[in-house]
Amino acid sequence: MKIQLLLISFCCFTGSLGVQAQEKEDVRLSLSDTSRVDDKYREDQVYVGITYNILLNRPADVKQQNLSRGVQVGIIKDMPLNAARNVALGIGLGYGFNSYFHNLQMVRNEGGMEYGLIPEGTDYKRNKMDTHVLEVPIEFRWRTSTARSYKFWRVYAGVRLGYVFSNRYKFLGDETVRFSNSDIRKFQSGLQLSAGYNTWNFYVYYGLGKLFKDDIITTGGEVLEMRALKVGIIFYAL
């Protein structure tokens, strides 16, 4: 139910932004008709994205479950680098929420954290970890925009730096267990790429660092080296 509400809200929000973009398109065309073209325009300074999150380098027999998802919103300072203003640098600030559903159980005890597969036959509804991230995207931007049109092709590539300011692990079975896990790495980074035309754009993020701190060992003797791959769509607006 929550993901359905999230998707409905996302579609309503992007639809509203799409109407605003069309209105601005009309204004820009009107300006061009009267030869009063804004030759100092900037593009894509607000972004909203939704992703499917994939855990790479999972320990043996660790599987993802349900719909691991992510949402990101933020603003970007667009700084054109040439006279045509179709090449630019973008630096932003945003918020990201990520949820990962899997069958790796995390147990907190006096000796620290313990990681192992949920035993077969265990009746449970949910096992997941969530992260809330303060993000700084840095992009090199190429596009086919002009001062007269908001509809253009774009390819934006760069890095996304993140600080995990909050996280929560939750196991919902015969009893509910939830806690903040100090083993999750605070500082994260990854490569990102978005490309598309007009409203909808393909988005991919590849995590450069591990989600967990170094030398975290599972009960099966494997080092936790999981990192995130996120694939989805991203919407830009002024």
Side-chain angles (χ1 to χ4, degrees):
M1 185 64 181
K2 290 183 180 180
I3 186 60
Q4 293 175 343
L5 292 175
L6 178 65
L7 291 173
I8 292 173
S9 300
F10 176 75
C11 291
C12 291
F13 180 74
T14 55
S16 174
L17 289 178
V19 171
Q20 295 177 22
Q22 183 60 51
E23 291 175 349
K24 291 178 180 178
E25 168 79 2
D26 295 339
V27 170
R28 182 176 283 186
L29 289 174
S30 177
L31 288 174
S32 67
D33 292 340
T34 58
S35 300
R36 292 183 288 112
V37 178
D38 179 13
D39 60 355
K40 301 296 183 183
Y41 71 92
R42 300 174 186 270
E43 298 287 5
D44 299 344
Q45 298 185 85
V46 176
Y47 67 87
V48 180
I50 185 168
T51 60
Y52 173 67
N53 297 343
I54 302 169
L55 289 171
L56 302 177
N57 301 336
R58 299 189 301 268
D61 298 323
V62 170
K63 300 177 181 179
Q64 288 193 239
Q65 303 165 328
N66 298 334
L67 180 62
S68 297
R69 56 195 181 267
V71 176
Q72 52 182 302
V73 296
I75 57 175
I76 288 184
K77 177 68 172 179
D78 184 76
M79 297 175 285
L81 300 177
N82 62 345
R85 308 182 79 79
N86 63 342
V87 176
L89 179 67
I91 301 177
L93 181 65
Y95 162 77
F97 168 79
N98 298 287
S99 187
Y100 304 92
F101 292 81
H102 47 77
N103 64 338
L104 181 68
Q105 190 171 24
M106 305 177 189
V107 179
R108 185 170 61 178
N109 50 45
E110 294 182 357
M113 294 294 302
E114 184 177 286
Y115 301 85
L117 294 176
I118 297 175
E120 292 187 12
T122 301
D123 184 19
Y124 70 99
K125 296 180 179 179
R126 187 173 302 156
N127 185 73
K128 67 168 185 170
M129 61 179 184
D130 299 333
T131 61
H132 300 268
V133 190
L134 181 66
E135 299 181 325
V136 177
I138 304 173
E139 303 174 336
F140 178 77
R141 302 173 142 202
W142 173 87
R143 60 214 176 198
T144 61
S145 62
T146 70
R148 293 180 174 84
S149 177
Y150 275 78
K151 295 181 179 180
F152 54 86
W153 290 95
R154 61 171 65 80
V155 177
Y156 297 163
V159 298
R160 183 173 293 261
L161 309 178
Y163 175 76
V164 180
F165 63 87
S166 177
N167 76 79
R168 184 181 69 168
Y169 167 75
K170 182 177 181 179
F171 175 84
L172 182 59
D174 292 336
E175 60 177 350
T176 299
V177 177
R178 58 167 65 91
F179 55 81
S180 177
N181 187 350
S182 61
D183 284 343
I184 292 180
R185 191 184 296 271
K186 291 286 187 182
F187 292 96
Q188 298 180 0
S189 63
L191 301 176
Q192 65 175 16
L193 173 70
S194 58
Y197 177 76
N198 196 21
T199 302
W200 301 102
N201 300 271
F202 171 77
Y203 175 84
V204 61
Y205 167 96
Y206 174 77
L208 294 175
K210 296 183 293 186
L211 293 175
F212 291 85
K213 295 178 181 178
D214 295 332
D215 303 324
I216 304 297
I217 309 296
T218 69
T219 55
E222 296 184 68
V223 178
L224 268 186
E225 296 183 326
M226 292 189 296
R227 63 185 65 200
L229 173 66
K230 306 175 188 178
V231 179
I233 55 176
I234 190 166
F235 178 85
Y236 293 100
L238 292 180

